[in-house]
């Protein structure tokens, strides 16, 4: 069992990488002139404790985790080498085969915290999909269940920051390797 998000033991499968690309549109930038300036490492280091707090509310055994700097789009759909967002993908299993109930509990917590719920649905196979944004930070959190081979236990989770502009210019997009805390 992995003990922290700073430790990347295994890469997510191709499905995780595809989901990363699919969710890229969720992290679009509205005004590139007024966005926060951070390096990918700074943004990830600030974001990971927030992700860890969300994950701590789940009883799961982590199978894999990946932290990436992904390209952002500007308000007009433009892309630039200095615009990025941090994406964290996590895969795990609930040993109690109760991941749907855990996601429902997360939904209730997030509603109580005033988060914007973008998606909350139950699938035909009993899986739950939940996406919410913390209005205080702009961070988006997605928890999905219902996947084979263990629809009652398997979790795929994706976490995104809003867009940032790198003060160093061009960003090396892809996996980020951060020092252990």
């Amino acid at each position: 069992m992995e003990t922290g998000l700073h430790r990347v033991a295994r890469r997510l499968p191709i499905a995780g990488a595809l989901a990363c690309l699919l969710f890229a549109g969720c992290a679009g930038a509205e005004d590139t002139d007024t966005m926060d300036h951070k390096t990918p490492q700074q943004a990830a280091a600030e974001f990971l404790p927030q992700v860890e707090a969300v994950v701590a509310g789940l009883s799961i055994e982590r199978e894999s985790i990946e932290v990436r700097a992904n390209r952002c789009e500007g308000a007009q759909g433009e892309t630039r080498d200095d615009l990025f967002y941090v994406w964290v993908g996590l895969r795990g299993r609930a040993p109690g085969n109760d991941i749907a109930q855990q996601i429902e509990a997360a939904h209730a917590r997030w509603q109580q915290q005033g988060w914007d719920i973008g998606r909350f649905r139950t699938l035909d196979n009993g899986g739950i999909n939940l996406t919410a944004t913390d209005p205080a930070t702009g961070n988006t959190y997605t928890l999905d269940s219902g996947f084979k081979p263990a629809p009652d236990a398997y979790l795929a989770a994706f976490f995104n920051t809003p867009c940032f502009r790198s003060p160093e210019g061009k960003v090396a997009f892809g996996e980020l390797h951060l020092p252990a805390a």
Side-chain angles (χ1 to χ4, degrees):
M1 184 165 151
E2 295 174 38
T3 59
L5 291 175
H6 290 100
R7 296 183 189 162
V8 180
R10 292 179 218 124
R11 293 181 182 260
L12 290 172
I14 291 175
L18 290 174
C20 170
L21 294 173
L22 290 173
F23 286 108
C26 297
E30 291 186 20
D31 182 358
T32 59
D33 293 330
T34 61
M35 69 176 53
D36 285 345
H37 288 68
K38 294 182 184 185
T39 67
Q41 291 74 19
Q42 288 170 327
E46 291 173 11
F47 184 45
L48 289 173
Q50 297 168 50
V51 169
E52 192 65 53
V54 167
V55 174
L58 303 172
S59 177
I60 61 167
E61 296 172 352
R62 298 176 194 193
E63 291 182 356
S64 65
I65 189 159
E66 185 174 350
V67 180
R68 300 180 58 84
N70 288 336
R71 188 177 299 276
C72 268
E73 290 185 357
Q76 305 302 316
E78 73 275 14
T79 58
R80 294 183 1 193
D81 289 341
D82 64 338
L83 302 182
F84 72 95
Y85 68 99
V86 175
W87 175 90
V88 177
L90 178 136
R91 191 176 63 194
R93 286 179 174 257
N97 293 322
D98 62 348
I99 197 60
Q101 292 86 359
Q102 291 189 51
I103 294 173
E104 288 173 343
H107 175 253
R109 281 192 306 274
W110 295 353
Q111 278 188 312
Q112 288 176 346
Q113 293 170 350
W115 289 16
D116 299 322
I117 306 298
R119 179 182 67 181
F120 183 60
R121 65 179 179 197
T122 301
L123 307 175
D124 291 341
N125 66 1
I128 302 283
N129 296 153
L130 171 62
T131 299
T133 301
D134 177 353
T137 63
N139 296 332
T140 301
Y141 302 87
T142 298
L143 305 174
D144 290 334
S145 69
F147 300 101
K148 291 182 180 183
D152 295 333
Y154 190 74
L155 171 74
F158 306 98
F159 312 101
N160 299 312
T161 66
C163 291
F164 295 102
R165 187 172 179 186
S166 175
E168 297 175 343
K170 188 175 182 176
V171 171
F173 298 106
E175 189 170 359
L176 294 173
H177 299 279
L178 301 172

